[in-house]
Amino acid sequence: MSRRLSAAVLALAFALGGLMAFSAPAAAHNATTKAHATVTGTGADVRVVLDLEYDLLMKSAWLYAEAYDAKERAEQLRQLKKNHAAVIDYVTRRFAVAYGDRPCTPTPVGDAGVRDRENVAYAVVTLGYHCAGDGGGEHAISSALFPDAESFVHSTETIVGYTLDGTTGSAVLSAANPTLRTGEHRASHQIGEFFLLGAEHLLSGLDHIFFLLALLIGARRLRDVVVTASAFTAAHSITFLLAALGIVHVPAGIVEPVIAVSIIVVAVANILGRDEDKLGRWRLPIVFAFGLVHGLGFASALDIDEKGSWELLLSLLSFNVGIEATQLLIIAVLFPLLVLLRRTSAVRWATAAMSVPIVVVGLYWCVDRIALSA
């Protein structure tokens, strides 16, 4: 029976390796995307800064390949300027602000810019909205950016951070819940939104999952898992909060390759490790150090980077708890299977069989991310 279990788990390991190899190239452009909106203003005057994935925006605006295939920053800026009218038309049809149930009129502010998010180019579009009304209404923010019907991506979410009429908050808009009304948005709703966003970010972030898998494969006892997971949690929670609040900033061109390196280091240690005592001595400090880097990667998903913006702390904590809950769920599902595997004679060979594909994909990501940031 143990041999059959071992064979089944090993088959699962090879399948996972194939999945990782297949999905690795997709890391540069996922099947889904997140738009980011920063909304500020009072009453009749509202300012919106949108961060939208560059090539997706140009495709959605139905522009030619020379526009969405542009890779050099100067050419991207040139294409945005050249196709300014088409870009603004697309964005203003898909993103709206209302005041007292009356639509606000959008006007572009300056030329669009470009900046990187996790080694992906994002167009930065700024709009000014003039709102009619007597000053007694509430604002409504709606997003239908990059819908499933366009067939380029699916399940788009728009992360909104707003300061309107002295009220500060954040929300996640989706096809199911496309509109935020400032007077109706409650803290309990906000907690749920960002909890789910944190869970989704971990599940869709293959690099974070592979790092966790590498840690689990190398753990020998339940105590190892608890201590290692606690060190990783403490470390990434520290840098996540510091980075999300704008207190610490490290460029994605540094963070992303180091995350890939962390996967390689832990997986290689699983293959070479033979002395459990020596393994225990390096595991905690290395995991803690790499956890600090992973926290910077988690924070990049939110773009809450205003120094001292403690009003958004609730969103940050909810997002982080979502990450932790999902991490614990993965551990609860996989560690018992690994315990059964270690009771067989194939444990050393199986550890290598599961770790080698992780090393290969980690190397691919490392090279690819360094090339993208060069």
Side-chain angles (χ1 to χ4, degrees), residues 31-68:
T32 187
T33 189
K34 288 180 175 61
H36 299 259
T38 302
V39 185
T40 56
T42 56
D45 296 309
V46 175
R47 180 184 178 93
V48 176
V49 180
L50 290 165
D51 279 30
L52 310 169
E53 200 166 340
Y54 171 83
D55 61 345
L56 178 58
L57 172 61
M58 304 307 260
K59 288 178 181 177
S60 297
W62 294 104
L63 300 175
Y64 292 109
E66 65 174 6
Y68 58 74

Side-chain angles (χ1 to χ4, degrees), residues 232-252:
F232 182 61
T233 294
H236 79 64
S237 296
I238 291 170
T239 47
F240 168 76
L241 290 172
L242 292 177
L245 291 170
I247 299 172
V248 171
H249 175 72
V250 180

Side-chain angles (χ1 to χ4, degrees), residues 5 89 134 154 162 165 222 254 279 293 314:
L5 176 63
D89 178 66
D134 57 8
H154 65 86
Y162 64 90
D165 301 319
L222 180 60
I254 296 175
L279 187 68
V293 180
L314 183 62

Side-chain angles (χ1 to χ4, degrees), residues 102-374:
R102 299 179 65 179
C104 303
T105 304
T107 303
V109 178
D111 293 329
V114 180
R115 67 173 171 177
D116 287 336
R117 285 177 170 275
E118 299 180 275
N119 283 333
V120 176
Y122 274 70
V124 182
V125 179
T126 304
L127 299 168
Y129 284 82
H130 178 71
C131 306
D134 57 8
E138 296 171 340
H139 288 94
I141 303 164
S142 301
S143 177
L145 292 162
F146 311 129
D148 292 4
E150 290 179 350
S151 74
F152 297 123
V153 292
H154 65 86
S155 307
T156 300
E157 293 173 326
T158 302
I159 302 173
V160 179
Y162 64 90
T163 301
L164 290 169
D165 301 319
T167 301
T168 299
S170 50
V172 181
L173 304 183
S174 64
N177 297 287
T179 301
L180 156 71
R181 297 183 183 276
T182 55
E184 299 175 0
H185 197 64
R186 299 288 182 261
S188 58
H189 191 202
Q190 184 173 324
I191 290 172
E193 288 175 337
F194 279 85
F195 178 90
L196 292 175
L197 187 65
E200 177 188 304
H201 183 67
L202 181 65
L203 290 174
S204 63
L206 290 175
D207 46 4
H208 301 301
I209 289 181
F210 291 170
F211 182 74
L212 181 59
L213 286 174
L215 291 178
L216 286 175
I217 292 168
R220 301 297 191 265
R221 298 161 295 186
L222 180 60
R223 187 186 70 178
D224 296 335
V225 175
V226 172
V227 173
T228 301
S230 298
F232 182 61
T233 294
H236 79 64
S237 296
I238 291 170
T239 47
F240 168 76
L241 290 172
L242 292 177
L245 291 170
I247 299 172
V248 171
H249 175 72
V250 180
I254 296 175
V255 173
E256 296 301 319
V258 173
I259 288 177
V261 169
S262 72
I263 298 168
I264 298 168
V265 169
V266 176
V268 168
N270 292 340
I271 297 170
L272 301 179
R274 292 292 182 268
D275 189 323
E276 192 169 316
D277 293 333
K278 290 181 180 179
L279 187 68
R281 283 199 294 269
W282 72 259
R283 180 171 291 273
L284 280 183
I286 293 296
V287 168
F288 188 86
F290 283 137
L292 294 174
V293 180
H294 279 253
L296 299 172
F298 289 139
S300 66
L302 290 183
D303 189 36
I304 299 174
D305 57 5
E306 296 180 13
K307 186 178 292 186
S309 58
W310 293 102
E311 299 89 347
L312 298 173
L313 183 60
L314 183 62
S315 297
L316 301 181
L317 293 176
S318 301
F319 183 86
N320 199 41
V321 171
I323 290 173
E324 296 313 319
T326 308
Q327 176 178 294
L328 290 174
L329 179 61
I330 293 172
I331 292 173
V333 171
L334 293 183
F335 187 69
L337 296 176
L338 292 172
V339 169
L340 291 176
L341 178 62
R342 291 191 185 98
R343 293 177 180 175
T344 72
S345 59
V347 59
R348 290 188 177 181
W349 185 82
T351 297
M354 290 185 289
S355 297
V356 167
I358 296 177
V359 173
V360 172
V361 176
L363 286 169
Y364 170 84
W365 276 335
C366 186
V367 173
D368 184 58
R369 292 172 180 185
I370 290 173
L372 284 174
S373 61

Side-chain angles (χ1 to χ4, degrees), residues 79-101:
Q79 290 293 338
L80 283 168
K81 187 171 184 177
K82 175 183 176 182
N83 298 289
H84 180 76
V87 167
I88 296 300
D89 178 66
Y90 175 81
V91 171
T92 54
R93 284 189 290 107
R94 295 293 187 184
F95 190 92
V97 177
Y99 184 51
D101 293 326

